[in-house]
Amino acid sequence: ASFTHMAAANSAYEIEAARMAQQMSRDAEVLSFAQQMITDHTRATQTLTTAAQQAQVSVDKTLTAMQRENLDRLRAASGTGFDTQYASQMVMTHEKAAALLSGYQQSGEAAPLRMWAQNTLPVIRMHLDMARDLP
């Protein structure tokens, strides 16, 4: 259950941060990245929910204290300061997500969740590369 919570909360945080980016950024690359985060993480949450049901595990999307603090930092930022803060947070969160999924795919207990981690990890690594290229 802690794996599904961390994965689901991470997606919820990224979707919320991306919605903020759509409202606050004027950079075309940031806006495009934000839209992809909404699309991909909405899909990831849906497939995680299905895998969790198969594994008979609940999915808790409650944000962590750190995720809430990061969203507050984004709300307080403006202009290029927002873009810099957003890009930095997206690199950090995708590094953590890649480590989480990599670890679970190797040693997780529930087969449906291991498969989800294995299938989702390449997308997270792609997001990480994209986040590192943000302005």
Side-chain angles (χ1 to χ4, degrees):
S2 67
F3 169 76
T4 57
H5 173 241
M6 288 188 285
N10 189 62
S11 278
Y13 156 71
E14 289 190 42
I15 291 167
E16 184 62 31
R19 287 185 178 134
M20 270 191 232
Q22 289 182 323
Q23 295 171 359
M24 298 175 76
S25 181
R26 299 291 168 257
D27 185 282
E29 201 176 338
V30 171
L31 293 170
S32 174
F33 177 83
Q35 183 56 55
Q36 185 158 2
M37 293 308 97
I38 291 169
T39 300
D40 290 353
H41 284 281
T42 298
R43 185 179 315 116
T45 301
Q46 291 167 342
T47 57
L48 173 62
T49 301
T50 301
Q53 288 170 341
Q54 292 169 351
Q56 299 178 336
V57 178
S58 65
V59 175
D60 176 6
K61 298 177 196 170
T62 306
L63 298 183
T64 66
M66 176 64 110
Q67 290 165 333
R68 289 192 303 274
E69 288 172 24
N70 284 340
L71 291 174
D72 288 343
R73 282 190 201 96
L74 287 177
R75 280 187 202 95
S78 60
T80 56
F82 175 87
D83 291 344
T84 301
Q85 181 72 234
Y86 179 67
S88 173
Q89 286 187 23
M90 290 302 101
V91 169
M92 180 192 66
T93 195
H94 284 95
E95 286 173 346
K96 287 181 179 178
L100 175 70
L101 270 57
S102 179
Y104 198 89
Q105 119 183 339
Q106 293 171 9
S107 60
E109 293 177 18
L113 294 172
R114 273 197 318 273
M115 184 61 68
W116 178 84
Q118 181 178 346
N119 293 338
T120 306
L121 186 57
V123 176
I124 297 303
R125 287 185 174 143
M126 179 189 69
H127 290 174
L128 177 56
D129 289 341
M130 292 168 64
R132 286 179 174 148
D133 289 341
L134 287 173

